[in-house]
Amino acid sequence: MKPLIAGNWKENCTIREAIALVSGIKGLVKDSGHADIVICPPFTALRDVSAALKGSSMMLGAQNMFYEEKGAFTGEISPLMLLELGCRFVIVGHSERREYFMETDLAVNRKLKLCLKNNLTPIMCVGESQQERNEGVTKKVIEREITDGLEGIGKKEIERIVIAYEPVWAIGTGLTATPQQAQEVHAYIRQLLSDMFGESAKKVRILYGGSVKPENTKELMAQKDINGALVGGASLDAGSFAEIVKRSA
Ligand code: PEP
């Protein structure tokens, strides 16, 4: 399966900084046809990054969107607005949204469905906290996030969804899950998907996220059920991000 490497810039980069960063990445990943590359800048920089990506095979993604197409929802962003800017992907249910913005599995589910209706590819994030891992309930948490988040999704639709396993304790902490720890959960996710969607499960890309760096990319990517990476901190440095892309081959 062709790996997908997505950079989540979070709440970083003014427009000027975003243009400089994407230009740097563009120059460094020219020969990286082995991977699909997605850049997810903040909303305010989407238009300019979209323009900067012209002529490149890199794709544009948003970090969030709302689950209604339009209406009286102050401050929210519609999939229609994202499409207009050239977005093809949307990160849905990132742990920071779940933690700081009280995003529930139901909200994640509604967002996924609206993404699919609008031909946007959702990158749906799941993952356990440090406390949940310590308590031995990692699989229980993942099972709930997968089954509730994907409720009502069809066998053909699941093939248009990307899943990202991101252990919350590894995000932005410098702690990475070992390749074995990650593979164990990825295999479990694949099994859950297989129970829910049969053969289609084999076609779903499951990304790993959590302090991915050039130094740990190869080992993580070598795992059977890891099909790419969602990269936070390291995606803010053009050289590091390009190196991660290169080592995902
Ligand atoms: C993320 O934000 O999805 C992420 C994995 O962040 P980091 O790479 O910084 O841990």
Side-chain angles (χ1 to χ4, degrees):
M1 205 180 302
K2 192 173 186 180
L4 188 153
I5 308 295
N8 172 16
W9 293 1
K10 310 196 186 189
E11 192 195 21
N12 294 292
C13 292
T14 60
I15 291 173
R16 188 192 296 258
E17 290 165 344
I19 293 170
L21 179 54
V22 74
S23 306
I25 295 171
K26 200 172 156 181
L28 294 171
V29 299
K30 276 202 291 285
D31 304 316
S32 300
H34 66 276
D36 285 330
I37 308 171
V38 180
I39 303 285
C40 303
F43 290 131
T44 48
L46 283 173
R47 189 188 179 103
D48 292 86
V49 172
S50 185
L53 286 178
K54 290 260 151 58
S56 147
S57 59
M58 287 195 285
M59 295 174 279
L60 189 65
Q63 297 173 21
N64 183 33
M65 60 161 228
F66 194 47
Y67 51 68
E68 294 287 350
E69 276 174 4
K70 61 190 223 174
F73 304 106
T74 303
E76 292 297 334
I77 298 288
S78 154
L80 304 178
M81 300 167 187
L82 298 178
L83 284 169
E84 199 177 26
L85 294 170
C87 285
R88 296 187 42 198
F89 289 77
V90 184
I91 299 173
V92 173
H94 190 281
S95 65
E96 287 151 14
R97 297 225 47 94
R98 293 177 189 259
E99 184 178 351
Y100 305 128
F101 304 96
M102 314 305 147
E103 213 161 281
T104 61
D105 292 319
L106 177 61
V108 169
N109 181 256
R110 293 177 70 177
K111 289 181 182 193
L112 288 183
K113 287 176 176 164
L114 197 60
C115 273
L116 295 175
K117 177 178 172 230
N118 286 287
N119 270 324
L120 284 160
T121 302
I123 301 177
M124 177 205 187
C125 302
V126 299
E128 81 288 0
S129 66
Q130 182 72 70
Q131 191 182 339
E132 288 162 341
R133 179 159 279 261
N134 293 346
E135 287 169 2
V137 294
T138 297
K139 287 189 174 170
K140 221 167 142 179
V141 171
I142 300 293
E143 183 183 5
R144 192 207 70 228
E145 289 178 332
I146 291 283
T147 49
D148 292 358
L150 296 175
E151 205 273 321
I153 298 292
K155 281 189 179 161
K156 275 284 149 219
E157 289 175 321
I158 189 65
E159 296 176 15
R160 295 164 49 209
I161 294 177
V162 175
I163 309 279
Y165 168 56
E166 300 206 302
V168 180
W169 49 271
I171 297 180
T173 57
L175 295 171
T176 319
T178 63
Q180 294 70 29
Q181 277 174 325
Q183 167 56 26
E184 191 187 345
V185 180
H186 279 238
Y188 180 63
I189 293 172
R190 186 88 62 202
Q191 184 57 51
L192 290 171
L193 294 177
S194 168
D195 294 345
M196 291 172 81
F197 305 103
E199 284 293 298
S200 298
K202 290 186 186 150
K203 298 191 183 151
V204 179
R205 286 199 275 204
I206 308 176
L207 315 184
Y208 169 78
S211 298
V212 173
K213 307 183 262 289
E215 306 82 67
N216 56 29
T217 302
K218 257 201 180 318
E219 249 202 303
L220 285 162
M221 292 304 129
Q223 303 304 309
K224 179 170 169 276
D225 291 293
I226 300 185
N227 313 116
L230 181 52
V231 186
S235 72
L236 293 170
D237 179 84
S240 296
F241 186 67
E243 200 52 41
I244 289 170
V245 169
K246 203 183 282 176
R247 294 185 192 186
S248 71

